[in-house]
Amino acid sequence: MHILIVSNMYPSTSDLSFGTFVKTFHDGVICLYPDYIVDIVAIRGRSRSKTGKLIKYTNFYCSLLFKLLIRKYDIVYVHTLTYPTPPIRIVSLFKNLNLIFNAHGVDVLTKSRLAERLKQLCRPLLKKSKFIVVPTPYFRDIVKSEFPEIKTSQILISPSGGVEKNFFYSTIKNRNYILNIGYVSRIVKGKGWDTFVHSLMLLRKRGINFKATLVGTGNHIADLEKCILESKLSDCIHFLGPIGHDELPNYYKNLDVFVFPSENNSESLGLVGLEAMASSVPVIGSNIGGITSYLKDSINGFIFPPGNAEALADCIYKIATMSDQEYSELSTNAFLTASEYESSYILKVLFTKLFS
């Protein structure tokens, strides 16, 4: 079988966290099907300038056009419905393509006019595609609402490649004397980093000793640093910036609790929450999007209303003051939940459906 993987997101040596779920899928196909021929056309790493972005997309589109025109593929697997679409739509006018799309987040719940136009451009391709892969039942319903012409039988649920084995750490976890709280996400509007910092201000007033670390990058870093300074919590809140995907397992292992305060309804799954759980870390997450597909209140963590700093502080306080037995149960349940999403299992199930 000859497969082409297409994505405008893929890790680079300088941007290891960009599109890691695409790399997991790519590596999984190569590992599980060594006899298959697998090509990939991808944009590797983010561009910091408009010129750099233009060059990358020009090369991306030219390479994609060339491969689709010259070569015959049994399957063309496309990550995202928007930006890779134009060359595919052009070639589809005179060549039959066996398309599979992977839809998630802002691909469907677009946030710009350009993305919305590209989504509409993709509409006839989706109707003719073999499958549309989505990460959760929550997002399946969104896709069905946005594209009512798609048949239910076309939609497959598979959680973004799952959690890689190196994230799993099964242990009887004991909290540190100083509660270690983590956050991993983009530092942009809607990700809830400001709600997180405000909740820590409230937590300090309750006399809880903690250390909080934030990992990520984005265009609101200056606002985050200002917020930390104004909160007068610089001694216990530290912004680490971006770290490599291979460094995240060790980061998660040292946490007592992971906070996932996103306010975006486009949060189609939230893989970072599952990665934290794989390290036996309870998660506190917003009651939004696909997060609640795996986060169960008082079972493997706690759920709070998005944007509500007081409710988030209450949840962290519960973690800090519960008994050792209660905390151990949360920790164990978090690990067991993540075990259901282990990548080799998830990918085997997905590939069986895709390649049969």
Side-chain angles (χ1 to χ4, degrees):
M1 185 173 286
H2 199 175
I3 301 170
L4 175 65
I5 298 172
V6 181
S7 178
N8 64 323
M9 300 172 62
Y10 200 86
S12 67
T13 53
S14 60
D15 194 353
L16 296 171
S17 63
F18 187 58
T20 52
F21 62 96
V22 181
K23 186 177 187 303
T24 299
F25 178 91
H26 182 207
D27 292 346
V29 176
I30 293 171
C31 178
L32 294 174
Y33 298 90
D35 295 333
Y36 285 9
I37 301 171
V38 183
D39 293 341
I40 183 166
V41 177
I43 292 179
R44 299 173 187 267
R46 299 178 182 89
S47 296
R48 296 184 178 181
S49 68
K50 290 183 179 180
T51 302
K53 193 171 186 178
L54 178 61
I55 292 171
K56 283 193 172 187
Y57 268 94
T58 300
N59 292 334
F60 176 63
Y61 284 167
C62 289
S63 179
L64 183 53
L65 274 171
F66 175 81
K67 287 187 180 295
L68 289 175
L69 288 169
I70 301 300
R71 299 180 182 177
K72 179 177 175 57
Y73 292 100
D74 298 292
I75 289 175
V76 178
Y77 192 97
V78 188
H79 282 275
T80 77
L81 313 182
T82 50
Y83 293 99
T85 296
I88 300 171
R89 181 71 188 275
I90 292 170
V91 175
S92 71
L93 296 175
F94 50 87
K95 186 175 182 179
N96 184 39
L97 301 173
N98 191 14
L99 295 168
I100 297 174
F101 284 91
N102 191 300
H104 40 80
V106 293
D107 302 352
V108 179
L109 300 173
T110 54
K111 294 186 177 182
S112 71
R113 290 182 181 179
L114 176 59
E116 179 60 27
R117 288 173 182 171
L118 291 172
K119 183 178 80 174
Q120 297 307 323
L121 185 68
C122 188
R123 188 179 289 273
L125 298 177
L126 291 174
K127 189 176 180 179
K128 295 189 297 183
S129 66
K130 181 179 180 181
F131 293 118
I132 299 99
V133 182
V134 299
T136 55
Y138 160 80
F139 212 67
R140 174 198 58 201
D141 295 341
I142 287 178
V143 169
K144 280 292 295 177
S145 176
E146 291 284 332
F147 305 100
E149 67 272 23
I150 294 174
K151 298 176 182 177
T152 302
S153 59
Q154 287 177 271
I155 302 177
L156 295 180
I157 298 173
S158 183
S160 298
V163 182
E164 298 163 68
K165 286 184 179 180
N166 59 322
F167 282 87
F168 284 88
Y169 180 65
S170 176
T171 183
I172 299 175
K173 206 166 181 64
N174 297 313
R175 287 161 300 177
N176 296 299
Y177 172 71
I178 298 177
L179 195 71
N180 202 343
I181 311 168
Y183 167 103
V184 177
S185 190
R186 299 204 69 203
I187 312 299
V188 296
K189 183 179 180 181
K191 284 296 187 178
W193 56 265
D194 46 348
T195 299
F196 180 40
V197 174
H198 292 150
S199 74
L200 296 177
M201 292 171 61
L202 298 172
L203 200 65
R204 168 63 69 87
K205 292 179 180 179
R206 298 190 187 188
I208 300 298
N209 290 321
F210 64 85
K211 182 181 81 170
T213 52
L214 293 91
V215 171
T217 187
N219 57 11
H220 281 226
I221 290 175
D223 296 327
L224 168 62
E225 292 174 336
K226 181 181 178 182
C227 188
I228 293 173
L229 190 63
E230 290 178 348
S231 70
K232 298 181 180 178
L233 294 175
S234 299
D235 60 320
C236 55
I237 304 179
H238 305 286
F239 174 57
L240 303 181
I243 64 175
H245 190 67
D246 58 336
E247 298 177 78
L248 283 174
N250 284 331
Y251 170 78
Y252 288 128
K253 287 176 186 177
N254 293 317
L255 299 179
D256 296 306
V257 59
F258 179 79
V259 174
F260 195 174
S262 179
E263 298 164 19
N264 291 331
N265 63 353
S266 60
E267 206 70 69
S268 52
L269 176 66
L271 196 59
V272 290
L274 285 167
E275 289 173 347
M277 286 186 174
S279 291
S280 303
V281 178
V283 171
I284 299 173
S286 303
N287 186 17
I288 199 168
I291 298 172
T292 54
S293 65
Y294 59 85
L295 180 56
K296 306 304 176 186
D297 194 56
S298 302
I299 303 297
N300 52 20
F302 294 104
I303 295 171
F304 74 98
N308 191 325
E310 290 186 4
L312 175 53
D314 287 343
C315 291
I316 301 174
Y317 186 80
K318 287 179 184 177
I319 295 281
T321 57
M322 63 176 41
S323 69
D324 291 340
Q325 182 177 349
E326 289 173 322
Y327 179 78
S328 179
E329 288 177 1
L330 279 184
S331 173
T332 299
N333 289 337
F335 179 84
L336 292 174
T337 298
S339 298
E340 299 174 9
Y341 293 81
E342 196 274 315
S343 60
S344 63
Y345 168 74
I346 292 296
L347 290 176
K348 282 178 183 177
V349 172
L350 175 61
F351 292 160
T352 299
K353 294 176 181 177
L354 295 182
F355 304 147
S356 60

